[in-house]
Amino acid sequence: RTHGSSSPALGATKSSTGESPGTTMRAGELPPLELTKQQKKMLASLYKINPNSPPVNYKMKRKRIQQVRVKDLDNFILTAPKETLIVVCCMGTWNPLCHKLMPMLEEVSFAIEDKVIKAFNESSLKSSNPDSKPQDPDQMIVQVDLAESKLLNERYHFKTVPMMLCFYENRLVHASNTMRDKDSIFEQIDKAYKNAKGGHFLPNEFKFQGITHTDNAILEACM
């Protein structure tokens, strides 16, 4: 090469693929897509999002469910706050359905507590007492792991999990294994609470005997 040649320096040459100088691409690769400002604006109007904005977390707010040992459950229910519905979710760590259900239960638990806090905030605006505090929720969700003991299985004669047992003033008011979604959970908790306030409880010696017409009739008569 003669001195003073105008040939470009090494590394600044344009590749045979037409790439910009200084870039290296593998065979079969396409160049990165860069949107113009007008294209980004059009994309934002189509999808109602900003393509440059970080991803949004749409997860619902949840409250961790308190774990109670099976051997301590009776005393926990006995010493629970007065006029409080204790919703005992009988779970199994081995059961995939229980793992799937837990986030929904945590959302329900948060909603129950959040309802009390919102009611307190509204009432505090009308109250002149600065020392007032929110009341305890009249509904409480706890969980037990049936892998610890067969006590509850043998007491109520059930084999399936998850299972919901609702207690009020140390008395069983509702029992069910149909916790399909949040709406059904809310519905059952509300119904159990209303039944308890109305004095409608399950028999003291209530037991599941399998899915039979007799058991369904007993439950329906007590609801």
Side-chain angles (χ1 to χ4, degrees):
R1 187 174 61 181
T2 58
H3 182 70
S5 171
S6 60
S7 300
L10 184 64
T13 57
K14 189 174 184 179
S15 69
S16 60
T17 59
E19 304 166 28
S20 300
T23 61
T24 303
M25 296 185 64
R26 298 177 182 176
E29 252 187 356
L30 293 175
L33 179 63
E34 294 184 3
L35 300 178
T36 64
K37 290 183 178 180
Q38 185 64 27
Q39 289 172 328
K40 289 180 179 180
K41 185 177 180 180
M42 181 180 295
L43 182 63
S45 65
L46 289 174
Y47 293 96
K48 304 300 181 183
I49 61 172
N50 183 348
N52 293 325
S53 63
V56 180
N57 186 352
Y58 291 102
K59 290 183 178 179
M60 297 291 291
K61 294 182 179 180
R62 300 185 293 182
K63 180 180 183 294
R64 186 177 294 276
I65 305 294
Q66 180 179 351
Q67 177 104 23
V68 179
R69 300 290 298 272
V70 174
K71 65 182 181 65
D72 299 328
L73 182 62
D74 288 343
N75 185 62
F76 179 87
I77 295 172
L78 183 63
T79 58
K82 297 293 184 182
E83 299 184 356
T84 300
L85 182 75
I86 307 299
V87 182
V88 180
C89 297
C90 303
M91 313 294 276
T93 54
W94 70 90
N95 189 297
L97 184 57
C98 292
H99 288 279
K100 183 179 179 180
L101 182 66
M102 185 54 67
M104 286 188 285
L105 288 171
E106 291 178 342
E107 290 177 20
V108 173
S109 181
F110 175 85
I112 291 173
E113 187 173 276
D114 188 56
K115 181 180 178 181
V116 175
I117 294 175
K118 286 181 178 178
F120 168 75
N121 291 337
E122 290 178 2
S123 63
S124 63
L125 295 176
K126 304 175 184 179
S127 174
S128 58
N129 183 8
D131 298 326
S132 61
K133 297 180 180 179
Q135 295 180 349
D136 292 328
D138 51 17
Q139 300 165 357
M140 178 190 304
I141 302 178
V142 299
Q143 63 170 319
V144 293
D145 184 3
L146 295 186
E148 296 177 359
S149 170
K150 295 182 179 180
L151 175 65
L152 296 178
N153 304 71
E154 295 174 352
R155 179 182 295 175
Y156 299 109
H157 285 197
F158 66 86
K159 296 181 180 180
T160 60
V161 289
M163 177 69 71
M164 177 192 290
L165 302 173
C166 298
F167 298 87
Y168 187 87
E169 300 295 325
N170 202 33
R171 297 180 64 184
L172 182 65
V173 67
H174 178 76
S176 171
N177 65 346
T178 56
M179 294 185 285
R180 295 180 298 271
D181 49 44
K182 282 195 302 181
D183 289 338
S184 68
I185 295 171
F186 273 121
E187 182 179 348
Q188 291 184 70
I189 292 177
D190 289 341
K191 188 174 183 179
Y193 184 74
K194 290 177 182 177
N195 286 338
K197 297 297 286 185
H200 304 294
F201 296 90
L202 293 177
N204 292 333
E205 300 301 323
F206 171 81
K207 297 179 185 295
F208 284 100
Q209 301 296 334
I211 306 303
T212 67
H213 295 293
T214 303
D215 291 330
N216 290 337
I218 292 175
L219 281 171
E220 291 173 2
C222 296
M223 289 302 182

